[in-house]
Amino acid sequence: IKIRIPNIKFAVIGSRTNSEYINFRNYFNNLNIKNNIIDLGEIYGRKKYEVLQSSKAFFSLSYYESFGLAVYEAMYLRMPCFLYDLSIYSKIYNKKYFFSASISDYKSLANLYINYIKNESIQRKIKDKNDGIKFILNDWSEIAENEIKKFN
């Protein structure tokens, strides 16, 4: 992404242990993008929503999620979401409203984002259709039925 948009900024939100922080910092230094990263650490409430609302897109590079609350929050704010293809996302969220790539395939996610910013019709589609929670969630009755079957 930096090659196409040299001045792009990524706000990184979340808590990390000291070793995770060192790995995180070294990783971005090695990619030569440390000046493109704004590490906000763990933030909550109004500050978090201000950051989300001021952003052009939301990326989640999680390898595991039980629900994906941050994704939900971003979708609710009509953010285009770029995610690793975790099964929980397609079970809960309507796939029309997020872009995904195989786990660890950050290059494909980057290409999805580049295609997104070059295509205004896709941008309008995401902004227009992400009209609150009723459009982004799949039918929860099906999810509930599947969960009940597990216990029977």
Side-chain angles (χ1 to χ4, degrees):
I1 296 173
K2 183 184 176 189
I3 293 168
R4 297 281 181 112
I5 312 167
N7 295 324
I8 193 165
K9 297 289 183 197
F10 294 95
V12 180
I13 300 172
S15 63
R16 291 172 280 291
T17 64
N18 285 339
S19 64
E20 287 173 329
Y21 179 76
I22 291 167
N23 290 337
F24 167 82
R25 189 184 64 215
N26 290 339
Y27 180 74
F28 290 118
N29 287 345
N30 290 337
L31 289 174
N32 196 28
I33 60 171
K34 69 179 181 181
N35 293 331
N36 300 82
I37 304 296
I38 303 166
D39 184 11
L40 299 172
E42 201 166 7
I43 58 174
Y44 303 96
R46 177 178 236 101
K47 173 83 172 149
K48 180 173 70 172
Y49 287 100
E50 287 171 357
V51 170
L52 282 173
Q53 287 180 317
S54 69
S55 300
K56 294 188 188 313
F58 177 84
F59 285 79
S60 177
L61 304 180
S62 293
Y63 294 129
Y64 172 81
E65 290 287 347
S66 59
F67 175 74
L69 182 59
V71 173
Y72 166 82
E73 292 167 329
M75 283 185 177
Y76 192 78
L77 294 172
R78 297 186 175 118
M79 302 287 306
C81 294
F82 297 84
L83 319 165
Y84 284 149
D85 195 15
L86 305 181
S87 62
I88 193 67
Y89 293 147
S90 57
K91 288 179 184 172
I92 295 176
Y93 302 117
N94 190 325
K95 195 159 174 71
K96 290 188 282 188
Y97 306 116
F98 66 88
F99 304 88
S100 64
S102 297
I103 294 173
S104 299
D105 190 357
Y106 62 88
K107 289 181 182 180
S108 289
L109 272 185
N111 286 327
L112 286 168
Y113 178 71
I114 289 166
N115 290 335
Y116 170 81
I117 60 171
K118 290 188 330 189
N119 190 326
E120 287 185 27
S121 68
I122 294 174
Q123 292 174 35
R124 275 193 306 279
K125 179 180 166 187
I126 294 295
K127 295 290 184 185
D128 292 344
K129 290 199 173 186
N130 273 5
D131 189 20
I133 192 65
K134 64 183 177 184
F135 293 105
I136 61 174
L137 292 179
N138 279 328
D139 182 3
W140 281 64
S141 61
E142 180 182 333
I143 294 168
E145 286 173 20
N146 288 335
E147 291 302 312
I148 290 170
K149 286 178 187 174
K150 290 178 186 177
F151 291 107
N152 290 336

